[in-house]
């Protein structure tokens, strides 16, 4: 990855700094119900205020489809943002034009201004050059602290970065550094865990990882498709029968690339998909026609732990089983705890991401012990798939 500039490379005092942030926070009854995303941008915003920048926040909220829609106004986020930042936050009810320009003109060093939802303008998602220029006009510098939006080439994530001196915020910087250490320039051996429901949703991911990692541990529902491809009967398990050939091709590609594929040798099976369903441990060649695999079994758990113990770097996306249903969370929880212990002991760099993966690590109570947990969802997956993220590419382009 080409080098990107950070807040260490610029003097922001007295400057108008446009900062792209992720304020797409969950709301409940008009209140922000989870402030994780606000806490993620706090270091950047506090640092800018402390250094005397005039901070102007750009963000999208919901999907207003390019038109003003008061129900998707960012104004509701202001109180929670003020609380997190421990300072007043001004609000302008448009992100370009007179309202925005007047609000920016009022700023003094250390102030923070939030501009209305960028997606109230069709030019945002279209990455329209005129709209990007109207945004850029409001500032002297651009900082992107929204890795989670970096897989979209929108005006506030990509277009604007090509018009102003552009820098990565602290949260963006941490994400890029963690992902680079994990996959672009890792300490070997590298183990990747890919789990979750379906092979079909993670084909690009599997294809990219087999070329880059030393061990690919496949868990979750998607392991069933690989087991079936080997001719095993997986009973009523979630299985994509139309992808058996694809699974075989992935295994062949892995072999050619020197990547060892680790599939479960045993499983926890049940006849019903529900919490506390009657269940048993079965070898993968002993699954009944009326049974389904809902988690990896104890032998597989031990094998995963042994693979982790040999590795220096772990990249993890997707749970090992239906972790929302006890006791089928056992494989995911055990693997998460093993990775957390190895990380705490300084033996492993562990990076994880994905909506359900983050939920599973929180459920296991070990998210804080991982080296890095990405909450970026789609952007994290596209990175693992080896795709160029437009928002990141624009930051690293030479200007
Ligand atoms: P992420 O959001 O982290 O990318 P996914 O969405 O791909 O993860 O996968 C998570 C889902 O996979 C969970 O809802 C989980 O219940 C499901 N899952 C995992 N293993 C199984 C299984 N053996 N059978 C059915 N569903 C499973
Ligand atoms: Mg998911």
């Amino acid at each position: 990855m080409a080098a990107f500039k950070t807040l260490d490379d610029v003097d922001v005092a007295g400057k108008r700094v446009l900062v792209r942030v992720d304020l797409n926070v969950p709301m409940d009854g008009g209140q922000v119900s989870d402030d994780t995303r606000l806490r993620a941008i706090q270091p950047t915003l506090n640092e800018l205020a402390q250094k005397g920048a005039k901070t102007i926040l750009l963000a999208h909220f919901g999907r207003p489809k390019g038109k003003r829609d008061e129900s998707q106004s960012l104004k509701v986020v202001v109180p929670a943002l003020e609380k997190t930042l421990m300072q007043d936050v001004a609000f302008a009810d448009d992100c370009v034009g007179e309202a925005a320009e007047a609000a920016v003109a009022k700023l003094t060093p250390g102030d923070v201004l939030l501009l209305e939802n960028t997606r109230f303008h069709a030019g945002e998602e279209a990455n329209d050059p005129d709209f990007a220029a109207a945004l850029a006009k409001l500032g002297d510098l651009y900082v992107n602290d929204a890795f989670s939006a970096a897989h979209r080439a929108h005006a506030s994530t990509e277009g604007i970065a090509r018009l102003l001196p552009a820098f990565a915020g602290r949260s963006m910087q941490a994400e890029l550094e963690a992902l680079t250490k994990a996959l672009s320039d890792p300490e070997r051996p590298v183990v990747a865990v890919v789990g979750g429901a379906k092979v079909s949703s993670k084909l690009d991911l599997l294809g990219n990882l087999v070329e880059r990692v030393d061990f690919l541990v496949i868990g979750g529902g998607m392991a069933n498709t690989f087991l079936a491809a080997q001719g095993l009967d997986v009973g009523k398990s979630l299985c994509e029968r139309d992808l058996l050939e694809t699974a075989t091709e992935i295994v062949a590609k892995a072999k050619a690339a020197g990547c060892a594929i680790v599939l479960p040798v045993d499983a926890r099976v049940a006849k019903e998909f529900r919490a506390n369903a009657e269940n048993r441990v079965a070898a993968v060649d002993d699954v009944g026609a009326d049974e389904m695999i809902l988690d990896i079994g104890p032998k597989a758990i031990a094998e995963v732990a042994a693979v982790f113990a040999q590795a220096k770097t772990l990249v993890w996306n997707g749970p090992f089983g239906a972790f929302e249903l006890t006791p089928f969370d056992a494989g995911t929880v055990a693997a998460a705890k093993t990775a957390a212990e190895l990380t705490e002991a300084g033996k492993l760099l562990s990076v994880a991401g994905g909506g359900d993966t983050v939920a599973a690590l929180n459920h296991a109570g070990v998210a804080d012990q991982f080296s890095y947990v990405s909450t970026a969802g789609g952007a994290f997956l596209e990175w693992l798939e080896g795709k160029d993220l437009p928002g990141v590419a624009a930051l690293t382009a030479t200007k």
Side-chain angles (χ1 to χ4, degrees):
M1 187 182 59
F4 53 90
K5 294 193 188 116
T6 72
L7 295 181
D8 296 324
D9 302 310
V10 61
D11 179 9
V12 298
K15 302 266 174 55
R16 298 169 303 158
V17 184
L18 286 156
V19 188
R20 179 57 159 98
V21 287
D22 181 355
L23 294 182
N24 226 356
V25 287
M27 302 293 296
D28 187 13
Q31 305 278 328
V32 174
S33 55
D34 179 349
D35 69 351
T36 307
R37 288 187 159 149
L38 303 184
R39 283 185 285 113
I41 55 175
Q42 182 195 0
T44 296
L45 301 184
N46 284 163
E47 180 175 343
L48 287 171
Q50 190 235 322
K51 288 180 169 171
K54 299 173 181 177
T55 299
I56 306 151
L57 303 180
L58 296 172
H60 76 275
F61 193 51
R63 299 184 177 275
K65 303 211 173 101
K67 288 197 298 271
R68 180 165 276 277
D69 172 354
E70 294 309 326
S71 74
Q72 318 230 19
S73 170
L74 264 172
K75 195 165 189 168
V76 293
V77 178
V78 170
L81 191 56
E82 289 182 323
K83 196 169 152 207
T84 305
L85 299 183
M86 293 177 295
Q87 76 172 103
D88 289 342
V89 174
F91 184 77
D93 76 356
D94 202 350
C95 63
V96 289
E98 273 172 38
E101 284 161 24
V104 169
K106 279 194 209 140
L107 294 174
T108 60
D111 286 353
V112 178
L113 165 69
L114 171 61
L115 302 180
E116 183 58 286
N117 198 343
T118 51
R119 288 195 187 168
F120 280 6
H121 295 267
E124 164 70 337
E125 293 187 68
N127 199 6
D128 173 61
D130 293 337
F131 180 69
L135 291 173
K137 197 178 146 192
L138 299 170
D140 306 304
L141 307 170
Y142 172 73
V143 172
N144 191 342
D145 212 23
F147 178 82
S148 55
H151 57 316
R152 310 269 186 238
H154 293 170
S156 70
T157 60
E158 205 272 351
I160 189 175
R162 301 196 178 271
L163 300 174
L164 290 172
F167 304 86
R170 297 304 183 194
S171 160
M172 170 73 86
Q173 182 186 347
E175 184 100 27
L176 293 178
E177 285 172 355
L179 295 181
T180 301
K181 259 196 238 162
L183 216 52
S184 307
D185 186 20
E187 252 196 272
R188 293 188 178 274
V190 185
V191 53
V193 170
V194 180
K198 290 184 173 176
V199 175
S200 50
S201 61
K202 296 194 176 171
L203 277 178
D204 291 346
L205 181 62
L206 293 164
N208 185 43
L209 288 176
V210 293
E211 303 261 339
R212 293 178 175 231
V213 306
D214 304 295
F215 296 91
L216 176 62
V217 179
I218 300 176
M222 56 200 305
N224 305 337
T225 302
F226 283 85
L227 295 172
Q230 296 181 347
L232 294 170
D233 183 357
V234 295
K236 277 200 304 173
S237 301
L238 181 65
C239 176
E240 292 167 286
R241 310 234 167 241
D242 52 332
L243 287 182
L244 300 188
E245 222 168 280
T246 306
T248 305
E249 282 163 20
I250 291 169
V251 171
K253 191 177 173 191
K255 202 170 206 179
C259 165
I261 290 207
V262 180
L263 283 166
V265 292
D266 63 351
R268 190 160 289 279
V269 299
K271 290 179 182 166
E272 293 168 278
F273 188 82
R274 63 168 172 85
N276 303 310
E278 196 184 314
N279 63 82
R280 70 177 185 108
V281 170
V284 287
D285 61 2
D286 181 36
V287 178
D290 57 347
E291 290 177 319
M292 60 186 124
I293 297 173
L294 291 181
D295 194 12
I296 58 173
K299 287 200 181 116
I301 290 174
E303 207 173 320
V304 169
V307 172
F308 284 8
Q310 290 174 54
K312 289 260 171 32
T313 304
L314 166 67
V315 183
W316 184 343
N317 169 257
F320 279 98
F323 74 98
E324 303 92 335
L325 313 172
T326 42
F328 309 106
D329 57 342
T332 304
V333 169
K337 287 192 168 155
T338 300
E341 279 163 23
L342 291 165
T343 306
E344 292 232 298
K347 295 178 180 155
L348 186 70
L349 175 98
S350 52
V351 173
D356 291 291
T357 308
V358 176
L361 296 184
N362 283 327
H363 168 71
V366 298
D368 291 347
Q369 286 147 258
F370 271 59
S371 309
Y372 192 76
V373 176
S374 172
T375 54
F380 175 78
L381 275 178
E382 289 197 19
W383 177 287
L384 290 194
E385 288 165 359
K387 295 185 180 142
D388 252 341
L389 308 188
V392 174
L395 282 184
T396 54
T398 44
K399 266 187 284 289

